Amino acid sequence: AGEPGALLVADLCTGTGCIACSIATEHPATRVIATDISGEAVALARRNAARFEVADRVEVLEGDLGTCIDAALLGTFDLVVSNPPYVPTDVLAHIPREVADFEPALALDGGEDGLAVFRRIVKWARAALKPGGHLVCELHETCLDAAAQIARDAGFAQTRIVKDLAGRPRVLVAR
């Protein structure tokens, strides 16, 4: 992220790498460090980065959230994005089969209130982001108000909830 206009982005819980690859494709000066705890997901994300010809700018690491990212980079990120496991455990039993049949439980279960992983992401993002940086997380619509409060309590100055293309509240943006 040394060139003018360059951004440094962390994509935690990258899964297939679709967010990391999309950011790198849309913003050619951006470097993305993507992580996932699943070795299978990491392999798939690396294949997708190569397939979309962004592997030179999308580094995929296996590890738990940001723990595998070089600590020397803390405080230098412009953006932290994540589509973490966020479905409250009691809601998991009622999710549509087309989701449940294709998504591993590891990618879905967000704990009792859906925010177990998010709480850890907020803590890491607070240390990783430079002043003015943003955290963007997709979360379960029933959890967004609580997530916004968690972000404010962690020291994020501004939070807002953004609707998805279907008009449902889905994404928390914190600065």
Side-chain angles (χ1 to χ4, degrees):
E3 60 197 89
L7 298 175
L8 181 59
V9 177
D11 175 16
L12 309 181
C13 308
T14 197
T16 64
C18 63
I19 294 172
C21 292
S22 295
I23 290 170
T25 300
E26 292 291 323
H27 303 281
T30 300
R31 175 181 170 213
V32 183
I33 302 175
T35 72
D36 205 285
I37 199 166
S38 161
E40 190 176 344
V42 167
L44 178 57
R46 286 177 178 157
R47 284 196 305 273
N48 283 335
R51 179 182 184 196
F52 294 108
E53 300 177 353
V54 292
D56 58 326
R57 293 182 294 108
V58 175
E59 181 182 5
V60 186
L61 304 175
E62 184 175 345
D64 185 21
L65 302 179
T67 60
C68 55
I69 295 175
D70 186 348
L73 293 174
L74 291 178
T76 68
F77 284 87
D78 297 282
L79 177 65
V80 173
V81 297
S82 186
N83 181 357
Y86 62 71
V87 180
T89 303
D90 63 345
V91 175
L92 272 178
H94 307 291
I95 63 171
R97 285 200 59 144
E98 62 266 18
V99 175
D101 288 350
F102 293 97
E103 289 284 351
L106 180 68
L108 296 173
D109 193 344
E112 189 174 338
D113 66 355
L115 296 171
V117 178
F118 175 76
R119 284 184 182 84
R120 296 176 52 230
I121 289 170
V122 167
K123 185 177 179 183
W124 185 84
R126 187 73 177 95
L129 288 165
K130 62 186 181 185
H134 285 78
L135 168 65
V136 179
C137 269
E138 179 176 341
L139 296 166
H140 194 268
E141 57 193 274
T142 61
C143 305
L144 286 162
D145 291 333
Q149 188 59 54
I150 290 166
R152 286 190 293 272
D153 290 347
F156 284 88
Q158 301 167 348
T159 61
R160 63 189 169 96
I161 295 166
V162 178
K163 293 180 178 175
D164 65 13
L165 295 176
R168 299 172 73 166
R170 183 66 68 198
V171 177
L172 175 72
V173 178
R175 180 176 172 271

